[in-house]
Amino acid sequence: MKKILITVAIVFVVLLAAAAAIPLFFKDQIVAKVKSVINEKVNAKVDFKEFDLTLISSFPKMGIKLNDLSIVGVDSFAQDTLANIKQLQLDLNLMSVIKGETYEINAVSLKEPTILAKVLKSGKANWDIMKPDTVAKPGDTTGASFKAALEKYTIEKGKITYDDASLNFFLQAENLNHTGKGNFTQDIFTLKTLSDIKKLTVKYGGIPYLNGVALDADLPLEMDMKQMKFIFGQNKIKLNELLLSAVGYLAMPNEKDMVMDLKFDAQQSDLKNFLSLIPAIYTANFKDMEATGKFGIDGVVKGTYNEKSIPTFNLNLSITDGKIKYPALPSAINHIQVKANIANADGLLDHTVVNIPAFHLAFGNAPLDGRLLVKNPISDPFVDMALKGNLDLKQLTTIFPLKDMTISGVLLADVKAAGRKSSIDKEQYQDFKASGQVQASNFVYAGKNIPMPVSIPAAKMTFGPKNITLDHLNAKLGKSDFAANGAVNNYLNYVFRKNQLLEGNFNVTSNYLDVNELMGPEVDKEQAKNTKDQVPLTVFEVPANINFNMAVKANKVKYDKYDISNATGAVQIKDKTIYFKDLGLDMLAGTIKMNGSYATINPKKPKVDVDFGMDKIDIQQAFNAFNTVKLLAPIAQFAKGTFSTNLKFNSDLDEKMTPIYSSINAEGLANIIQAVIDGFEPINKLASSLGANELKKLELNDVKTKFKISNGRLNVSPFDIKVKGVSMNIQGSNGVDQSMDYNLVLNVPRAMLGSKANEAANTALASLNGKLGTHVAIGETIKINADLLGTFLKPNIKLKYGAGEGTATSAVKTVVNQVVEEKKAELQAKAKEQVDTLKKKAVEKATTEIGNKLKGLFNKKKQEEPPKEQQ
C-alpha cells in the first residue's frame, strides 16, 4: 500500500510538473505562430504588452493570454482604435498543440474590451482589416495555424460601440457582460446566450429610441451555419422594467442581404413598465411613482435589409386609461389615451407612415389634446398636426417634481398645421395651412441655477403660413424689462430647411435695461456684493442665420460702467453681426450718436467698427468710463471741462469685451469746448524748466485738433493754443506704454520769464551792442522750442534754441541764448549799416579833399601863364 501511494504521488508530481512545463516547451513556437498569423493576415497596427501561456487554470485546455491588446486602423481609420482589450484569452485544444499542426481554438474570453465598429458613409468598415488571401507556398503551413472550434465565448465589463454613418445608425452597450455556449464545429446546434447591459443606447436617424436603458436577455438561438439562419427560441428580453419576447428568424444568405421575419410583443402590459424606458421618469424614485393603466406594444418586421431596401414593418402602441402620480405631489396626469401606429408596407423608407390619430391627457384638470400624421419623410414630408390645451404651469409642478426652481403661469395653445415641405420650399404658402395662437399670462421662471428670473406678464403669438405675429409681449429678465411687438417671417423654411434665414421686424421698448446682467456670467450673491453690482462682461456671440430689424427705445441702460438714458435708434442683427443705425445715447453729461457694428464671425476675436459723434461730453466722466482714454489720453485725468468729437473707431476685443489696444485704428477731430488742466506732470515740469509757473495751470477754450490712433499710439496733428499770453503750437504722439514724444513751439512773453532772465538778456545784448556799436533792443516775446519725451509719470523736457540744444536747469541761460540768436541778424545788419556809412563819409571826404587839391593846382597853374595879347 505504501508503495502504491508513493507511486501515485510521483505520478501526480510528474503530471503537475508536465502541466507547468508543457506551456514553456511550446511558448516560443506558439508566439511565433501568433505573430506570423497577425503579420500575414491583418492590415492594421496590432500590439500587446504581455504574452502568457497557462495550462493549470485552463486544464484540459492550454490558455494563451494577450494583455493590453490594441488594434488601430490604417488609412481612413488611422485615428480610430478598433479594439482595446485588457486581456484576451484563447483556450486551445491541448492535443492540437502537441501535434503542432493546426491549433484548435475552443474558447475565447475578452476582459474589459472597448470595441469601436465604425462604418463610413461610403460603406467602408474599420473591421475589414484582413488582407486578401494569397496562394500558399509549398510547405507553408502558417495559413492553417489556427482553427476556430468554439465551444464558449465570454465578454466581461465590455463597451461595444457600433457607429454606421451609411445607415445613420448608432448602438452603444456600456458595461456589457455576455456569454455564449454552443458547439461551433457542428453545422446545426443551439447557441445559448445570456446578456447583461447596464446602459444600452440605440439611435436611428439621430433619434434616440433607447437612451441608457438597462438590458437583461436570455436568448437561445437555433444556429444553422450552412444556411446562416438563426431561429429565436423561447426567450426573455427585459428593457428596464419592460418585459418583451420575440419569435421568428434572422438569416444572412449572402454578404449583402439580411433576411428576417420577426414578431414581438410585451408580455406585461402595465403602463409603469413602459414608462421605465423614459430617462427623465426612470429615476431613483421610480419605484414610488404611481402609474395605472394599460400599455400595449406589438410589431412585425419582415423582409430583406440591404443598401437598397428595408424590411416591411408594422408597430402598434397604445395607452388606455393611464394615470401618473408621484406620491409626494398632490396632482396627477389623468385620462391618458394614446393610439399610435408606425408602418411601412413595401420596404421603401420614404413610404413610412407615422399616425397618431388622437391623444388626450389632462394635467390635473387642464386638458391637452392633439393629433399627428407624417408621410413621405424622405422625399417630401407631409405633416398634419393639431394641438390644443390649457396648461397651468404651477399645477404642472404639483405633477412633476422640480428641484431648486419655481415655474408658474398659464399657457393657452390652439395651433394647426397641414401641408408638404415642397410648398414651403417653393414659397407656395397658400398650400401649407398653418394657423392658431399661443398665449402666455403671468409666466414666472426662477430658481437656484437660473442666472436671472424670467417674468412674462403677457404675450400672444399668432401663427400663419408666412409668419408668426407677436403682440403685446411684456417681459422682465432679471432687472431688465421689455415690451415688444412685431413679426417673425420665414419660420417654416427655417425649421424644415437647412441654412435658411429666420427674419423678423420688431419694435422694442424698455424702461430699464441692464446689459451687464444679460451678457455677464452667473455670479453668486456674495460675489455680487463684493463687486458692487459690476458684473464682468463676456463675449456675446451673435446668432447665425437670422436677420432681425429692430426699432429700439430705452429710457435707461446700464452697460459696463456707463449709465445711459434716452437710447433710441435702429438695430439690425444679421450675419453674426449687430449693426447700429443712428443710435442716440445720453451719457457722460452729453450726447452720443453711433453708426457701426459689433461682429462675432470669429467668436474668439470679436470686432467693433463704429463711427461716433460725441457732443459736449464731460472730460472727467469720459476718463473714468473709457479704458482707452485712460491709456491713450491720461491728461484727461487732470482736466475738467467738456469736449466734442467725431471719431471713426475699429478694434478687436478680448474675452472681457475690452479693446485690444494694439489692434485699435481710429481717427477723428476733437474740439475741447472748455477745459482747465491742472496737476499734469509733463506740463508742470515744462513750466518749471521755463521758470514760468503760470503755465502749470492751463485754461483752454475752443481748441480743435485732428488725431489718429494706430499701432497702440495716439498721433496728434499740429494745433495752436494761446494761454496767458503764451502762444503754443503742439504736435506729437504717445503710446499705451505711457511713452510720449511731443514737439512744442512757444512764444513766451519776457515778463513771464522772471527778472534774472531779462537782466541777463539785457546785459548780453548791451555787450554785443557795445562791441558792434549798435543800439538793438530786446523784443516783448521769446521763441522757445521744447520736446516732451520720456513718460507721463517721468517726463524728460528738452528745450531747443538756435543751432544748439540742451537741457536748461533755469530760464536764464535759455533766454540769454535765445535773445542772442534772435538778435544776431539785427546786430549784424546794424553793424554793416554803420560800416557802410563810415565808408561813404570817408569817400566823400576824400573826394572833396582831392577835388579841392585839384582845384588849387588848376588855379595856380592858370595864374603862372602870360596873357595871350602879350605873346
Side-chain angles (χ1 to χ4, degrees):
M1 187 67 179
K2 185 176 181 181
K3 290 181 179 180
I4 292 173
L5 291 175
I6 292 173
T7 302
V8 170
I10 293 172
V11 171
F12 180 77
V13 170
V14 170
L15 290 174
L16 187 63
I22 287 175
L24 298 178
F25 296 152
F26 294 99
K27 182 174 182 179
D28 292 341
Q29 182 181 354
I30 294 173
V31 169
K33 289 196 174 184
V34 169
K35 291 185 176 180
S36 175
V37 169
I38 291 174
N39 291 331
E40 292 188 8
K41 297 294 184 180
V42 177
N43 187 21
K45 298 177 182 178
V46 181
D47 189 23
F48 53 87
K49 290 186 178 180
E50 295 181 6
F51 180 92
D52 195 15
L53 296 176
T54 179
L55 182 61
I56 297 175
S57 61
S58 58
F59 190 81
K61 311 293 182 182
M62 174 175 285
I64 299 176
K65 293 182 179 180
L66 299 178
N67 295 326
D68 297 322
L69 172 65
S70 67
I71 304 174
V72 180
V74 295
D75 300 329
S76 302
F77 303 102
Q79 303 300 319
D80 296 323
T81 300
L82 171 60
N84 198 338
I85 304 170
K86 187 173 184 179
Q87 185 180 89
L88 168 64
Q89 180 169 334
L90 306 177
D91 290 344
L92 308 181
N93 182 291
L94 180 59
M95 293 307 299
S96 70
V97 174
I98 294 174
K99 291 179 180 179
E101 295 178 356
T102 300
Y103 298 166
E104 294 183 357
I105 303 174
N106 296 143
V108 178
S109 174
L110 283 74
K111 291 185 179 180
E112 299 184 27
T114 298
I115 298 173
L116 171 62
K118 191 172 183 180
V119 182
L120 302 179
K121 286 186 177 181
S122 62
K124 186 177 181 180
N126 70 336
W127 64 82
D128 186 14
I129 60 175
M130 301 302 294
K131 292 181 179 179
D133 291 336
T134 56
V135 179
K137 297 178 182 180
D140 186 359
T141 62
T142 58
S145 295
F146 289 92
K147 176 184 177 182
L150 282 179
E151 299 171 356
K152 179 182 178 181
Y153 64 91
T154 62
I155 299 174
E156 297 181 26
K157 297 180 180 180
K159 181 179 180 181
I160 312 297
T161 302
Y162 176 70
D163 188 358
D164 192 333
S166 66
L167 301 176
N168 201 6
F169 179 81
F170 176 87
L171 181 147
Q172 186 173 80
E174 298 182 62
N175 204 346
L176 163 68
N177 293 289
H178 175 83
T179 61
K181 294 181 180 180
N183 190 349
F184 281 82
T185 62
Q186 302 296 318
D187 291 335
I188 298 175
F189 66 96
T190 299
L191 175 64
K192 297 180 179 180
T193 67
L194 294 173
S195 300
D196 176 18
I197 302 173
K198 298 300 181 185
K199 290 184 179 181
L200 175 64
T201 299
V202 178
K203 297 179 182 179
Y204 183 67
I207 300 174
Y209 290 93
L210 297 176
N211 191 3
V213 172
L215 179 142
D216 186 6
D218 181 354
L219 184 62
L221 296 170
E222 299 296 328
M223 311 287 286
D224 186 341
M225 301 304 291
K226 280 190 174 182
Q227 302 295 326
M228 289 300 288
K229 183 177 181 180
F230 317 113
I231 302 173
F232 287 72
Q234 188 67 32
N235 57 76
K236 180 182 70 174
I237 304 170
K238 187 178 181 183
L239 299 172
N240 282 351
E241 303 299 324
L242 181 64
L243 193 61
L244 300 172
S245 66
V247 296
Y249 70 87
L250 179 70
M252 292 183 287
N254 53 59
E255 294 182 356
K256 296 182 179 180
D257 297 333
M258 184 182 294
V259 181
M260 61 191 74
D261 186 353
L262 300 171
K263 295 181 181 180
F264 61 90
D265 61 15
Q267 295 179 358
Q268 296 180 7
S269 56
D270 290 340
L271 175 60
K272 189 172 182 178
N273 297 330
F274 167 69
L275 295 175
S276 71
L277 299 181
I278 303 174
I281 296 178
Y282 194 64
T283 56
N285 57 354
F286 177 76
K287 293 181 180 180
D288 299 327
M289 184 186 71
E290 299 176 14
T292 59
K294 294 299 181 180
F295 166 76
I297 183 172
D298 63 78
V300 177
V301 181
K302 186 175 182 179
T304 302
Y305 178 83
N306 54 35
E307 293 181 356
K308 297 181 179 180
S309 67
I310 61 172
T312 64
F313 57 86
N314 189 12
L315 173 66
N316 296 294
L317 183 149
S318 65
I319 300 174
T320 306
D321 299 327
K323 179 180 179 180
I324 302 171
K325 183 180 183 299
Y326 287 92
L329 299 173
S331 296
I333 304 177
N334 300 306
H335 313 302
I336 305 173
Q337 311 287 343
V338 178
K339 286 187 177 181
N341 174 259
I342 304 174
N344 185 291
D346 58 8
L348 295 177
L349 189 60
D350 189 44
H351 293 171
T352 301
V353 177
V354 177
N355 187 19
I356 305 175
F359 69 85
H360 171 85
L361 54 86
F363 294 100
N365 295 319
L368 181 66
D369 293 272
R371 70 172 190 270
L372 175 65
L373 175 64
V374 179
K375 298 179 180 179
N376 305 114
I378 306 300
S379 62
D380 186 11
F382 172 83
V383 176
D384 184 358
M385 60 81 62
L387 183 67
K388 183 177 182 179
N390 182 346
L391 293 182
D392 185 333
L393 298 178
K394 187 173 183 179
Q395 188 179 49
L396 200 63
T397 63
T398 66
I399 300 171
F400 296 105
L402 297 177
K403 186 178 180 181
D404 298 327
M405 70 175 64
T406 59
I407 185 170
S408 62
V410 176
L411 292 178
L412 300 177
D414 187 0
V415 294
K416 297 178 181 179
R420 290 194 174 275
K421 179 177 177 292
S422 59
S423 300
I424 300 169
D425 295 342
K426 298 174 183 177
E427 298 184 357
Q428 296 172 347
Y429 298 112
Q430 70 278 4
D431 295 331
F432 192 97
K433 309 301 181 183
S435 62
Q437 292 182 347
V438 174
Q439 297 183 60
S441 59
N442 301 317
F443 175 83
V444 176
Y445 180 48
K448 181 179 178 181
N449 297 319
I450 309 302
M452 61 199 77
V454 180
S455 173
I456 303 177
K460 179 182 176 182
M461 292 187 294
T462 302
F463 291 81
K466 290 185 178 181
N467 57 35
I468 301 173
T469 302
L470 178 65
D471 294 319
H472 311 301
L473 170 64
N474 291 295
K476 189 168 184 180
L477 189 58
K479 300 173 186 176
S480 305
D481 63 84
F482 304 89
N485 60 70
V488 177
N489 304 314
N490 201 45
Y491 74 98
L492 290 174
N493 265 324
Y494 183 79
V495 172
F496 290 108
R497 299 175 64 188
K498 292 182 178 180
N499 302 320
Q500 296 296 304
L501 278 179
L502 183 64
E503 300 175 329
N505 295 283
F506 305 96
N507 295 306
V508 182
T509 61
S510 174
N511 289 316
Y512 181 74
L513 193 61
D514 190 338
V515 180
N516 292 350
E517 184 181 49
L518 297 176
M519 292 179 60
E522 183 179 351
V523 178
D524 59 41
K525 294 180 179 179
E526 191 63 31
Q527 185 177 352
K529 289 180 181 178
N530 295 335
T531 56
K532 297 181 180 180
D533 297 329
Q534 291 183 9
V535 181
L537 296 177
T538 56
V539 171
F540 168 70
E541 186 172 352
V542 183
N545 294 337
I546 66 171
N547 182 8
F548 286 173
N549 290 282
M550 295 181 288
V552 298
K553 182 179 181 180
N555 293 333
K556 292 184 179 180
V557 179
K558 181 71 175 180
Y559 176 73
D560 202 7
K561 301 175 183 178
Y562 319 140
D563 291 311
I564 303 169
S565 59
N566 300 322
T568 60
V571 174
Q572 183 183 27
I573 304 174
K574 183 180 179 181
D575 300 330
K576 303 190 77 171
T577 303
I578 299 176
Y579 297 93
F580 309 102
K581 298 180 180 180
D582 298 324
L583 186 61
L585 312 169
D586 290 348
M587 61 184 294
L588 308 177
T591 60
I592 297 178
K593 292 285 186 181
M594 293 173 56
N595 284 280
S597 63
Y598 163 79
T600 57
I601 297 171
N602 178 1
K604 295 182 179 180
K605 189 179 287 187
K607 293 180 179 291
V608 290
D609 188 351
V610 183
D611 290 354
F612 290 98
M614 302 183 181
D615 187 40
K616 298 178 182 177
I617 301 298
D618 183 84
I619 296 174
Q620 280 293 299
Q621 291 189 41
F623 176 82
N624 292 324
F626 300 120
N627 288 327
T628 305
V629 175
K630 290 180 179 179
L631 286 173
L632 290 174
I635 192 174
Q637 183 180 4
F638 305 92
K640 294 181 179 180
T642 58
F643 75 97
S644 297
T645 184
N646 292 317
L647 169 65
K648 292 181 179 293
F649 180 94
N650 67 78
S651 173
D652 296 336
L653 303 179
D654 62 18
E655 68 278 1
K656 294 181 180 179
M657 298 288 285
T658 301
I660 299 173
Y661 299 109
S662 60
S663 71
I664 293 177
N665 285 289
E667 60 180 325
L669 175 66
N671 177 18
I672 301 174
I673 300 170
Q674 177 276 326
V676 175
I677 301 172
D678 189 10
F680 189 48
E681 183 59 21
I683 292 178
N684 289 343
K685 192 162 185 179
L686 174 64
S688 298
S689 297
L690 294 172
N693 291 330
E694 296 93 329
L695 295 180
K696 290 184 178 180
K697 185 176 183 180
L698 303 181
E699 296 183 4
L700 307 178
N701 291 282
D702 194 25
V703 176
K704 295 183 177 66
T705 179
K706 291 182 179 180
F707 63 90
K708 186 175 183 179
I709 302 173
S710 62
N711 299 319
R713 292 194 72 81
L714 171 65
N715 298 278
V716 180
S717 299
F719 66 96
D720 296 316
I721 62 173
K722 190 167 185 178
V723 181
K724 296 180 180 178
V726 178
S727 297
M728 300 185 195
N729 180 269
I730 304 171
Q731 62 178 311
S733 68
N734 59 270
V736 294
D737 59 356
Q738 302 299 287
S739 65
M740 60 178 179
D741 184 1
Y742 280 92
N743 176 256
L744 283 68
V745 178
L746 303 92
N747 286 302
V748 184
R750 282 195 303 115
M752 185 179 289
L753 301 177
S755 58
K756 291 184 178 179
N758 281 284
E759 289 174 3
N762 287 328
T763 301
L765 192 58
S767 175
L768 288 172
N769 279 328
K771 291 179 180 179
L772 299 175
T774 57
H775 300 282
V776 175
I778 297 177
E780 293 301 319
T781 61
I782 305 297
K783 182 179 178 182
I784 301 174
N785 294 324
D787 287 340
L788 274 62
L789 306 172
T791 66
F792 289 112
L793 296 178
K794 294 183 179 180
N796 180 15
I797 310 299
K798 288 189 177 183
L799 302 178
K800 297 181 180 180
Y801 39 89
E805 67 176 61
T807 300
T809 57
S810 69
V812 176
K813 180 178 178 181
T814 302
V815 175
V816 170
N817 285 280
Q818 186 67 36
V819 168
V820 171
E821 291 300 323
E822 287 186 354
K823 298 301 180 180
K824 183 184 291 184
E826 187 178 348
L827 290 166
Q828 289 176 344
K830 291 287 185 181
K832 186 175 183 301
E833 183 180 344
Q834 290 182 356
V835 170
D836 291 343
T837 302
L838 291 173
K839 285 183 178 180
K840 184 177 180 182
K841 288 181 178 180
V843 171
E844 289 177 351
K845 184 178 180 181
T847 303
T848 302
E849 289 180 354
I850 292 172
N852 289 334
K853 288 183 179 182
L854 290 173
K855 185 178 180 181
L857 291 173
F858 179 77
N859 290 333
K860 185 178 180 181
K861 183 178 180 179
K862 189 174 181 180
Q863 291 176 358
E864 291 179 352
E865 290 180 356
K868 292 182 179 180
E869 296 180 356
Q870 293 180 358
Q871 294 178 346

